[in-house]
Amino acid sequence: MIDISNFAFSKLTKDSLVHTFNCNDDAQNYANELLAVTYTLTEKHSKKIAAYFSLLNDKVAYDPNNKGFWNRINRKIHNNKRRKNYPSVKIGRLAVASEYENQGLGSFIINFIKSYMIKDNKTGCRFLTVDAYAKATDFYKKNDFEYITSLDVLDTTRLMYFDLKNIIK
């Protein structure tokens, strides 16, 4: 396990360079269009970027083809607050540099995002969502994300969610 205290988060800016990842133009274009914000996790001493992730607004919406999921969600929400969609934040990208893989940084980032979204209730966000690559679904399941539907089981990505209310004491 890696010593997390040796790392710091920062928001990706126009002056930030991410040589480790192939995301500079993409992240900057999303930021310029106000579609997503990208953050980096940097090693304090070497200034090497160990990981990055992007966050953007999303919603969990009613789908008549997925009533079982919707019923599970609605049972957790007080009757007079039930809606046809609920606010969420999507993890648009999450990548860890190969030299830092399998050392717990990905789960550290997921836990940071969970805490960040509920601390002082910044956006009124109930859920985190992710379009997880099929090869990454085990990682998200390990971090308590669940599938929204089984209709995407053969797709290259699976829509998953985490209910932030699960961690509020």
Side-chain angles (χ1 to χ4, degrees), residues 106-165:
S107 293
F108 174 71
I109 290 169
I110 292 292
N111 289 330
F112 170 81
I113 294 169
K114 289 174 181 177
S115 297
Y116 183 72
M117 295 316 303
I118 62 170
K119 185 176 171 93
D120 300 326
N121 193 16
K122 291 176 183 55
T123 66
C125 170
R126 173 66 187 253
F127 301 99
L128 294 178
T129 60
V130 63
D131 291 321
Y133 286 113
K135 64 182 180 183
T137 57
D138 286 343
F139 165 77
Y140 285 103
K141 286 188 335 190
K142 182 179 85 172
N143 285 282
D144 300 320
F145 280 71
E146 299 177 48
Y147 297 113
I148 288 180
T149 182
S150 60
L151 299 175
D152 60 359
V153 73
L154 298 176
D155 295 350
T156 56
T157 61
R158 300 282 316 268
L159 186 55
M160 300 179 80
Y161 78 101
F162 177 82
D163 187 347
L164 290 166
K165 191 83 171 192

Side-chain angles (χ1 to χ4, degrees), residues 16 29 42 75 83 89 94 96 102 105-106 115 140-141 145:
S16 303
N29 288 337
T42 307
R75 274 191 292 252
R83 306 279 185 264
V89 166
L94 190 160
V96 175
N102 301 312
L105 285 184
S115 297
Y140 285 103
K141 286 188 335 190
F145 280 71

Side-chain angles (χ1 to χ4, degrees), residues 57-74 77 82-90 126-131 147-149 151 159-162:
N57 293 324
D58 195 15
K59 67 180 177 180
V60 172
Y62 173 74
D63 179 353
N65 296 316
N66 197 9
K67 289 183 181 177
F69 164 74
W70 197 252
N71 289 336
R72 278 194 322 273
I73 293 295
N74 268 336
I77 296 174
R82 291 183 180 167
R83 306 279 185 264
K84 290 289 184 184
N85 57 66
Y86 298 108
S88 66
V89 166
K90 182 177 287 276
R126 173 66 187 253
F127 301 99
L128 294 178
T129 60
V130 63
D131 291 321
Y147 297 113
I148 288 180
T149 182
L151 299 175
L159 186 55
M160 300 179 80
Y161 78 101
F162 177 82

Side-chain angles (χ1 to χ4, degrees), residues 1-9 41-50 100 103 105 108:
M1 226 31 188
I2 201 161
D3 183 1
I4 298 301
S5 66
N6 292 328
F7 294 85
F9 286 106
L41 182 64
T42 307
E43 196 167 16
K44 291 177 184 175
H45 304 294
S46 69
K47 304 295 183 200
K48 285 165 93 177
I49 294 178
Y100 297 99
Q103 298 182 51
L105 285 184
F108 174 71

